[in-house]
Amino acid sequence: MKMNIVFWLSGPPICCKGIFDKVALNCDGEAYYICSKKIDKNRSKIFNDELNSMGNVKYIFLEQEDNPKKYGEDFILEHLDDIHIFNGYLSNYYFLKFLLKHNKSAKTIVWLERIGHRGINKGGLKNKVINKLQEYKHHYYALKLRNKISALMPIGQRSIETYRKLGWKGTNMFPFFYMPVMNETLPQSHELTDGIVKFVYLGRFSAGGKGTDNLINACKKLKNTNYTLEMVGGYGDYKEHTINYINSNEHLHFGGTWKINDACDNLNKYDVCIVPSRYEGWNPTINEALMAGIGCITTNESVSDELVSSFDCGIVTESNPDSIARTMDFVMKNVGLVNTWKKNAFNSRKNMNSDICADYFIDVLNYLFFGKSERPELPWKKEIR
């Protein structure tokens, strides 16, 4: 079925570029990335600039137009019958509202992460009030939009229940996920034979959502020493503290900054990826680690931990230093697990490569707009309804 698709984004796609590019290639129609802004300077260090061409995708940067609002309005009026996919209902709410005003039956999908919470694990009346106001705001938009847009695609299965409680119908939601551009042709990662577990952390050095402090404090509690830990990042609110600790621990090394398209090739050289998330929408490092053929230790706050559980290629633990340390020690005492996880991660590709995931996304579009009778399900696990 021929489809023309418009992706409305706050900036150039990064975490979802792998799946969106493949959807655009397979939709047999025109595809557009309409970006409110360009990529920020920190992310530009890890993002290879591929904005010139990607199949039939056309990039539009509204901030470069003399009148961004008028340009967006004119574009919508010329594309009223296309499929419009919005990155949240807040960043481009004006254009979502404009589209629905001029076409009440517009083909519209909104995808979004679970609600962000302030001061996770810190408590405090101010944070509680702000978080409650967040919930009220999202409940307001649910009441306003749930009978107007075609579907909601929350990131991660646990987000389904969150938005159901806020007023969205379960039958009107389909789980979504991030998928960056990845090397999907790597050989299986080497076997661990010397008993030294090569851990790796990849991501922003942040004590907020990323939980980098969780990992550093876990390292201080480790009982075993048969490991190395490469810390790859380069920016974030916890950068200075992270670098200082790396320099004080002989088992830790700073791995610099990687371009996002090099992540899988580089991860393939390690044994286990650690994702110590405190609170995230979906950490795509787990996608990259599995595609690289290595297992993961992740907290239950990464959201993408559902991949680790589905493919049995790691351990999901609680988001605190004690739990992470116990899990790392367990792996160091049971190094045979590492090779089992590597095998399972390598075998997971057939259920999470870009073609399979793009097919799922296109199946959702066919189900919603073109009469496909069978409701699509996630490639790796039946969804929660």
Side-chain angles (χ1 to χ4, degrees):
M1 177 67 68
K2 183 175 182 179
M3 307 177 188
N4 293 331
I5 303 178
V6 183
F7 297 94
W8 293 85
L9 305 163
S10 55
I14 299 176
C15 295
C16 54
K17 183 173 172 58
I19 185 170
F20 282 173
D21 280 353
K22 194 57 67 85
V23 168
L25 284 171
N26 295 345
C27 71
D28 195 29
E30 295 183 337
Y32 302 86
Y33 289 152
I34 300 185
C35 310
S36 300
K37 299 179 180 179
K38 283 191 169 183
I39 193 169
D40 68 70
K41 64 178 182 180
N42 282 321
R43 284 194 159 188
S44 67
K45 297 175 183 176
I46 62 171
F47 181 55
N48 288 328
D49 188 359
E50 299 174 346
L51 303 184
N52 292 327
S53 65
M54 179 58 201
N56 57 348
V57 181
K58 300 177 179 63
Y59 280 85
I60 297 171
F61 293 96
L62 292 179
E63 70 175 3
Q64 293 181 342
E65 302 299 328
D66 293 335
N67 189 333
K69 183 181 291 187
K70 180 68 165 55
Y71 185 96
E73 291 174 348
D74 290 344
F75 182 93
I76 287 173
L77 294 175
E78 294 176 6
H79 296 265
L80 283 174
D81 295 324
D82 292 353
I83 298 170
H84 292 260
I85 300 171
F86 288 84
N87 172 202
Y89 37 62
L90 298 180
S91 61
N92 281 298
Y93 181 66
Y94 175 82
F95 294 118
L96 173 60
K97 188 168 64 172
F98 185 87
L99 171 64
L100 294 172
K101 175 183 177 181
H102 289 84
N103 183 0
K104 289 182 171 55
S105 59
K107 302 180 183 74
T108 52
I109 292 176
V110 172
W111 61 274
L112 71 177
E113 298 179 0
R114 61 177 175 160
I115 300 171
H117 280 78
R118 179 188 175 101
I120 299 302
N121 295 343
K122 293 183 179 179
L125 179 61
K126 181 179 179 180
N127 288 334
K128 289 180 180 179
V129 170
I130 291 174
N131 292 338
K132 183 57 68 173
L133 290 174
Q134 278 269 72
E135 293 179 11
Y136 287 145
K137 179 174 70 174
H138 282 270
H139 182 62
Y140 165 79
Y141 280 104
L143 294 175
K144 195 173 182 67
L145 295 173
R146 65 185 178 185
N147 294 319
K148 295 181 179 180
I149 69 170
S150 307
L152 194 74
M153 296 188 77
I155 301 288
Q157 293 198 84
R158 76 178 56 184
S159 299
I160 296 286
E161 186 58 32
T162 298
Y163 287 103
R164 191 202 314 272
K165 290 178 181 177
L166 291 172
W168 293 94
K169 300 175 184 176
T171 54
N172 206 35
M173 291 190 286
F174 299 82
F176 187 46
F177 41 86
Y178 286 142
M179 174 174 280
V181 174
M182 299 182 286
N183 184 350
E184 301 180 5
T185 63
L186 287 168
Q188 189 163 345
S189 181
H190 65 282
E191 286 195 357
L192 172 61
T193 58
D194 62 3
I196 306 297
V197 182
K198 292 187 286 294
F199 293 114
V200 60
Y201 169 86
L202 171 61
R204 186 168 68 250
F205 293 163
S206 169
K210 296 297 180 184
T212 313
D213 58 326
N214 271 344
L215 179 54
I216 287 176
N217 289 327
C219 289
K220 297 176 182 177
K221 299 173 180 288
L222 292 174
K223 299 176 181 178
N224 296 278
T225 59
N226 56 317
Y227 80 99
T228 60
L229 171 59
E230 193 93 4
M231 301 283 289
V232 181
Y235 73 98
D237 59 87
Y238 213 61
K239 177 184 176 181
E240 184 177 354
H241 191 102
T242 302
I243 297 296
N244 288 339
Y245 182 72
I246 289 171
N247 292 333
S248 72
N249 188 322
E250 63 179 354
H251 296 281
L252 272 64
H253 309 281
F254 177 51
T257 301
W258 296 347
K259 292 287 188 179
I260 194 168
N261 286 10
D262 297 330
C264 289
D265 297 74
N266 292 336
L267 286 168
N268 182 257
K269 303 169 187 175
Y270 297 88
D271 295 318
V272 177
C273 182
I274 302 180
V275 182
S277 307
R278 176 167 280 115
Y279 191 92
E280 299 202 63
W282 177 284
N283 191 311
T285 301
I286 292 179
N287 299 65
E288 294 167 327
L290 269 57
M291 192 62 70
I294 66 173
C296 294
I297 293 172
T298 178
T299 72
N300 54 7
E301 294 294 348
S302 66
V303 180
S304 50
D305 61 276
E306 69 180 65
L307 296 177
V308 174
S309 299
S310 294
F311 297 127
D312 192 20
C313 55
I315 293 177
V316 179
T317 188
E318 294 180 0
S319 179
N320 61 69
D322 287 332
S323 296
I324 295 170
R326 282 195 300 269
T327 306
M328 292 174 69
D329 274 325
F330 179 78
V331 172
M332 283 186 269
K333 289 194 295 184
N334 299 272
V335 293
L337 277 174
V338 172
N339 293 328
T340 300
W341 292 349
K342 287 188 175 189
K343 181 179 178 180
N344 292 346
F346 184 79
N347 290 334
S348 73
R349 287 184 190 177
K350 62 181 180 291
N351 293 95
M352 59 163 284
N353 62 61
S354 57
D355 282 314
I356 290 293
C357 293
D359 286 346
Y360 163 75
F361 196 93
I362 290 174
D363 284 345
V364 170
L365 301 183
N366 279 321
Y367 177 82
L368 289 170
F369 306 126
F370 301 106
K372 179 181 171 65
S373 59
E374 185 176 350
R375 182 184 173 95
E377 293 186 330
L378 283 171
W380 56 81
K381 189 174 182 178
K382 290 190 176 182
E383 65 192 70
I384 301 168
R385 295 185 189 168

